[in-house]
Amino acid sequence: MTIHKEGTGTILVTVVFLVALNSAVFHFFPDNDLIRKITVIFSVLFSIIILQFFRVPKRVTVKNPKKIIAPADGKVVVIEAVEEPEYFKGRRRQISIFMSPVNVHINFNPLSGIVSFFKYHPGKFLVAWHPKASTENERTTIVVRHENGTEVMFRQIAGALARRICWYVEEGKQVEQGSEFGFIKFGSRVDIFLPLDAKILVNLDDRPVGGETVIAELA
């Protein structure tokens, strides 16, 4: 299993913590087999959870300039027409994907193009499905201009557990559909804002695969 680069620090801290915990338990409870076994089992399970969270899956992106692919693994929790005030200042169709702690948290570029806008917003850590999370939580806003001139916006939104958003994009730079544009640690959400005439190809509660599932088609 390949581990993502963003997991290095967390895994190191986890190892140090678990070694210290087991050392303390074995030192202070040398004759209590039950406590020692529980500690070992907890340590193994906790290590597996952390490792699976930072795993790097193999994804095959079928590139298509008219298709929009899922920017993240997770569950579709919002499909609606909304007013987008930050960049477009107009109506757009929003799709939101909630990423639970068991999902892969790599974020994938939903289309190829030039990054025409980027901004990082510090903020709160409301639960990711909260209606105000997209405007009040820590987040990034990224806009990519498609080759036909259409612009698509997507946001990384930190959740109650997520305390760090990572991004690998820069204004004026080219991005390729299916490549990584960022990573969010632990529970979080990604919103994508499409033109109103885009054809939506997912439904509420669907579970798209980041980098592979086509979620919409541009007109």
Side-chain angles (χ1 to χ4, degrees), residues 7-166:
T8 304
T10 301
I11 292 171
L12 179 60
V13 170
T14 299
V15 170
V16 172
F17 166 72
L18 292 178
V19 168
L21 174 65
N22 281 268
S23 297
V25 169
F26 276 66
H27 175 75
F28 291 107
F29 302 96
D31 300 320
N32 194 321
D33 288 340
L34 178 60
I35 292 180
R36 291 167 64 179
K37 287 180 180 178
I38 290 174
T39 302
V40 170
I41 292 171
F42 166 79
S43 299
V44 171
L45 292 177
F46 190 71
S47 298
I48 291 173
I49 291 171
I50 294 298
L51 288 174
Q52 70 84 31
F53 177 82
F54 289 105
R55 68 194 185 278
V56 178
K58 290 184 179 180
R59 299 287 163 85
V60 178
T61 302
V62 179
K63 296 181 181 180
N64 187 315
K66 293 196 67 175
K67 307 291 186 182
I68 302 296
I69 63 167
D73 288 20
K75 180 180 179 180
V76 177
V77 294
V78 173
I79 301 176
E80 63 182 1
V82 299
E83 194 74 19
E84 197 297 297
E86 181 180 1
Y87 182 80
F88 294 116
K89 301 183 182 351
R91 302 284 287 175
R92 286 294 184 275
R93 196 167 298 281
Q94 175 183 336
I95 300 175
S96 297
I97 299 173
F98 172 70
M99 306 156 66
S100 77
V102 300
N103 290 126
V104 169
H105 273 51
I106 298 170
N107 300 145
F108 303 88
N109 281 297
L111 74 165
S112 297
I114 301 294
V115 178
S116 54
F117 179 81
F118 172 84
K119 188 172 183 179
Y120 167 75
H121 303 265
K124 300 177 182 179
F125 296 96
L126 302 172
V127 290
W129 57 85
H130 193 287
K132 294 186 177 180
S134 62
T135 56
E136 295 189 8
N137 276 21
E138 178 189 14
R139 62 197 183 280
T140 64
T141 300
I142 303 165
V143 179
V144 171
R145 183 180 295 113
H146 189 267
E147 62 181 22
N148 68 4
T150 300
E151 290 184 310
V152 172
M153 172 191 286
F154 37 102
R155 285 196 182 111
Q156 299 170 287
I157 302 171
L161 295 178
R163 299 287 162 165
R164 186 183 175 204
I165 293 176
C166 308

